[in-house]
Amino acid sequence: MPQRTPLFEAHVSAGGKIVDFAGWELPIHYGSQLKEHETVRADAGVFDVSHMTVVDVSGPQATAFLQKLLANDVAKLGFEGKALYSGMLNAQGGVIDDLIVYKTAWDYRVVVNAATRDKDLAWINQQAAAFDVTVTERPELAMLAIQGPNAIAKVKAAKPHLAALIDSLKVFQGMPAGEWFVARTGYTGEDGLEIMLPASVAVAFWDALLAAGVAPTGLGARDTLRLEAGMNLYGHEMDDGVSPLAAGMGWTIAWQPAERDFIGRSVIEAEKATGPAYKQVGLVLEGKGVLRAGQVVKTPAGDGVITSGTFSPTLKLSIAMARVPAAASERVDVDIRGKNEPARIVKMPFVRNGAKVFE
């Protein structure tokens, strides 16, 4: 039976069209996905991401544990609140999940994807058995993402007592405020906040945000926004069988110090040495149609595949993220309903802070 977040009734009251997402009943939109997308780019929108899984890691060996578990290195977290994006790999070098880890007063907070919760927790607990650490899931917390150029100002208007803390945050930093945890992070390519808070007060906070002029925003706009921002989605750009080097995540791998033996290191180190067979690229369609996940990308170096594709509301053209042979460059064709349509490879992101980025 699908699960519901503490905000389910609020979504229904706001006119949300409810769909099943990874076993959760969540809003795909509140009437117009396009309008919600444009509102986040120009003003501020709020997403219910309470289905995400929050895990606290503490104990004498918490750092050593996460240095083994993650491809990125938590030793780089030089001050409280600093956040790090990382892949969590299996022994074969595939991506079990991508996540954010925060340095906290109690050691670390990790936020993983809802669709991978069960396997993530099983893997984390299995690996934790060899370390003196405590792993605690925090299901009593809800989570809201408020994104857009006016998001921070409107959150401060809705919750003035958070204003000083919010003003102190650097980009990609999160700090506690009592039982709340406020992070300057997001998944849209806009400035904004992701706020974890007790589920018991989530509806009141939601209502305060809407009263401050923040628009309720659904999963549909969240997907087009993150795609424009060139951000990976688990199950599309990467999964247990895809190397981080083929998923555009090479920048998240901390190769130094050389003696740090994180899980999957030997496999992807060998892949790096010989040269990955595939790479992740951005595509802009120059022919007719719309780029969609699963379409074949034809290049002189061999075939690739679109992992995520859409019509970009901001750019008014079709864009995609694709995994293609490493030697592919510049021009490609995409099989759209049996016809080869021309597209070109571009460097991502496509959009950042509401404006076109690629050449």
Side-chain angles (χ1 to χ4, degrees):
M1 184 174 181
Q3 301 179 77
R4 294 176 174 178
T5 77
L7 290 156
F8 177 80
E9 296 298 339
H11 297 316
V12 173
S13 296
K17 177 177 173 55
I18 305 299
V19 299
D20 183 291
F21 177 80
W24 291 82
E25 290 187 304
L26 290 167
I28 188 76
H29 61 69
Y30 297 84
S32 172
Q33 177 179 326
L34 176 60
K35 183 178 179 181
E36 290 162 28
H37 179 111
E38 293 172 341
T39 297
V40 172
R41 287 280 180 247
D43 188 4
V46 56
F47 306 85
D48 178 12
V49 289
S50 302
H51 57 299
M52 302 284 281
T53 304
V54 179
V55 179
D56 287 341
V57 178
S58 61
Q61 291 187 298
T63 298
F65 166 57
L66 291 177
Q67 285 180 311
K68 178 73 174 181
L69 185 74
L70 305 179
N72 214 333
D73 185 4
V74 296
K76 296 191 294 186
L77 297 176
F79 54 89
E80 184 182 350
K82 178 65 176 171
L84 189 73
Y85 174 70
S86 181
M88 181 169 63
L89 311 183
N90 58 31
Q92 294 74 43
V95 182
I96 294 173
D97 200 7
D98 66 329
L99 53 84
I100 291 179
V101 55
Y102 300 90
K103 177 65 179 170
T104 63
W106 59 86
D107 286 325
Y108 299 96
R109 169 160 289 180
V110 180
V111 181
V112 301
N113 289 302
T116 53
R117 173 192 172 275
D118 291 346
K119 71 167 184 171
D120 284 4
L121 290 176
W123 180 255
I124 290 169
N125 284 308
Q126 178 186 335
Q127 303 307 318
F131 295 85
D132 185 5
V133 295
T134 300
V135 176
T136 307
E137 187 183 6
R138 300 297 303 278
E140 76 279 10
L141 296 177
M143 186 171 173
L144 296 177
I146 308 95
Q147 302 283 295
N150 297 327
I152 288 177
K154 290 189 173 184
V155 172
K156 291 194 292 184
K159 289 293 177 183
H161 74 282
L162 295 177
L165 173 64
I166 291 170
D167 287 340
S168 74
L169 292 176
K170 299 177 175 66
V171 174
F172 232 61
Q173 181 186 14
M175 292 290 288
E179 294 182 286
W180 296 43
F181 189 88
V182 183
R184 196 170 170 190
T185 52
Y187 192 49
T188 62
E190 299 293 333
D191 203 355
L193 302 165
E194 292 181 311
I195 299 179
M196 301 163 223
L197 69 164
S200 59
V201 297
V203 172
F205 182 44
W206 172 272
D207 290 342
L209 290 170
L210 268 56
V214 181
T217 312
L219 293 171
R222 185 169 169 82
D223 191 51
T224 53
L225 288 159
R226 70 90 191 168
L227 207 167
E228 287 186 344
M231 295 179 173
N232 284 2
L233 175 63
Y234 192 85
H236 285 249
E237 279 63 55
M238 70 290 196
D239 58 34
D240 299 81
V242 176
S243 157
L245 300 180
M249 295 173 64
W251 63 276
T252 71
I253 301 167
W255 299 105
Q256 298 297 327
E259 62 272 16
R260 187 177 70 93
D261 186 25
F262 59 85
I263 297 169
R265 175 169 187 147
S266 61
V267 177
I268 60 170
E269 204 162 37
E271 180 188 5
K272 181 173 180 281
T274 58
Y278 290 89
K279 64 182 179 181
Q280 184 185 77
V281 298
L283 295 181
V284 173
L285 182 65
E286 296 184 331
K288 296 179 179 180
V290 177
L291 299 176
R292 299 292 187 193
Q295 292 171 344
V296 176
V297 181
K298 298 179 179 294
T299 86
D303 289 352
V305 64
I306 289 178
T307 53
S308 294
T310 193
F311 184 82
S312 164
T314 304
L315 302 172
K316 310 303 182 191
L317 48 79
S318 191
I319 60 173
M321 300 167 74
R323 189 161 54 247
V324 299
S329 63
E330 298 184 8
R331 303 285 167 171
V332 300
D333 288 322
V334 180
D335 184 342
I336 301 179
R337 296 183 179 179
K339 294 185 66 176
N340 288 338
E341 299 290 349
R344 65 187 175 96
I345 292 176
V346 301
K347 185 178 180 180
M348 294 184 287
F350 302 99
V351 176
R352 185 58 51 88
N353 294 324
K356 174 185 171 183
V357 177
F358 70 91
E359 296 298 328

